[in-house]
Amino acid sequence: MSTLLLEPHNGVLHITLNRPECRNAMSLEMVNELRSVVAQLDDQVRAVVLSGAGGHFCAGADVKDLVSAGDQLQALNRAFGTLLQEVEAVSQVVIVVLQGAVLGGGFGLACVSDIAIADHQAQFGLPETSLGLLPAQIAPFVVKRIGLTQARRLALTAARFDGQEAERLGLVHFTERDPQALAERLDEVLGQVLRCAPGANARTKALLLASVDEPIGVVLDRGAQWFAEAVSGAEGVEGTRAFLQRRRPEWAR
């Protein structure tokens, strides 16, 4: 990987956006490498942690790519939207650690995470309209994350705001005041995730995502089917047995 650092550890894949010289601006190469990593995730990976090198998460699209794209600009833009769809849909728990610039495409990546942890001084924003551009691929994910009213305000003003405001808006779940506190919070969250059954987490995430777009009856029918399968499945048997035996369950992966 030219734009990413990958570090697998105890069922967790740490992905670091690694273009610190440009605040980890999202190039087409980075988009393609992220899509490749996401496509290759397997059952041995329980969680994905996404962060940025050099004190920043991601400052948005690489303007050099936009200038040089020519007649491929539409395809380039849509490729980033596909990346957001793919990250949102993975069965693994996706955690983002947000520092410094969280702008444009970086903002979009935060919106498709399951759990977001931010430095209180991180700078969030949708700067596209201030550049005469549109947050074309990010917009629907921002709306799903924080609601249409706030999304309209932020997109139509290009306003910047910090981690504490991001928590108030529901964009992030935790804000911390220094790197050590960020690391401790990440360890706490990962411990909680890894205590859960991987298969149960994957299906729960799928049900939650489906509840946004699918008719409620369809989601409830599927939930009932999956619940019945879980009770008699390996994880359900191990989980209930561990509860009765007052011990921590041992998951198969």
Side-chain angles (χ1 to χ4, degrees):
M1 296 290 170
S2 299
T3 69
L4 307 175
L5 298 176
L6 305 179
E7 182 184 357
H9 181 70
N10 291 339
V12 179
L13 177 61
H14 294 263
I15 304 174
T16 304
L17 308 181
N18 189 36
R19 303 184 72 215
E21 70 282 358
C22 56
R23 299 189 298 169
N24 304 312
M26 186 69 61
S27 64
L28 180 58
E29 183 178 21
M30 183 181 283
V31 169
N32 289 336
E33 289 189 353
L34 277 168
R35 291 188 64 193
S36 176
V37 172
V38 167
Q40 295 178 59
L41 292 174
D42 59 27
D43 290 346
Q44 300 307 307
V45 178
R46 297 282 314 279
V48 175
V49 177
L50 192 59
S51 62
H56 293 281
F57 182 64
C58 175
D62 190 327
V63 176
K64 292 179 182 177
D65 272 12
L66 301 182
V67 171
S68 63
D71 60 4
Q72 296 300 308
L73 190 53
Q74 181 175 339
L76 184 155
N77 185 251
R78 186 62 181 89
F80 183 69
T82 301
L83 168 66
L84 294 179
Q85 289 179 290
E86 291 169 350
V87 172
E88 183 177 59
V90 297
S91 60
Q92 291 80 5
V93 178
V94 177
I95 303 167
V96 290
V97 180
L98 307 169
Q99 296 175 281
V102 189
L103 305 173
F107 196 115
L109 282 172
C111 286
V112 297
S113 68
D114 297 305
I115 303 167
I117 306 169
D119 183 271
H120 73 293
Q121 292 183 318
Q123 286 295 298
F124 296 80
L126 297 170
E128 288 85 355
T129 52
S130 68
L131 302 172
L133 306 175
L134 288 68
Q137 301 299 308
I138 305 161
F141 300 97
V142 178
V143 171
K144 282 202 290 184
R145 187 72 164 207
I146 63 173
L148 180 58
T149 297
Q150 294 292 1
R152 287 162 67 177
R153 175 179 69 87
L154 296 176
L156 300 176
T157 62
R160 300 289 178 94
F161 56 97
D162 63 14
Q164 291 177 318
E165 177 68 2
E167 184 175 0
R168 188 189 73 80
L169 291 170
L171 174 60
V172 306
H173 302 94
F174 304 100
T175 51
E176 305 297 341
R177 301 197 69 82
D178 57 64
Q180 181 173 342
L182 278 174
E184 290 173 354
R185 178 67 74 180
L186 176 60
D187 285 344
E188 176 188 23
V189 169
L190 284 172
Q192 293 168 340
V193 169
L194 296 176
R195 281 199 294 271
C196 299
N201 259 3
R203 282 195 157 179
T204 296
K205 180 174 176 177
L207 279 176
L208 292 170
L209 290 171
S211 70
V212 176
D213 301 314
E214 295 186 28
I216 189 170
V218 173
V219 177
L220 294 177
D221 287 346
R222 186 183 306 129
Q225 176 190 341
W226 286 357
F227 182 82
E229 292 171 0
V231 170
S232 58
E235 289 183 350
V237 170
E238 168 60 12
T240 52
R241 181 180 295 150
F243 175 80
L244 293 172
Q245 296 175 351
R246 298 184 179 181
R247 60 174 175 82
R248 180 169 292 186
E250 297 179 3
W251 308 122
R253 56 181 171 88

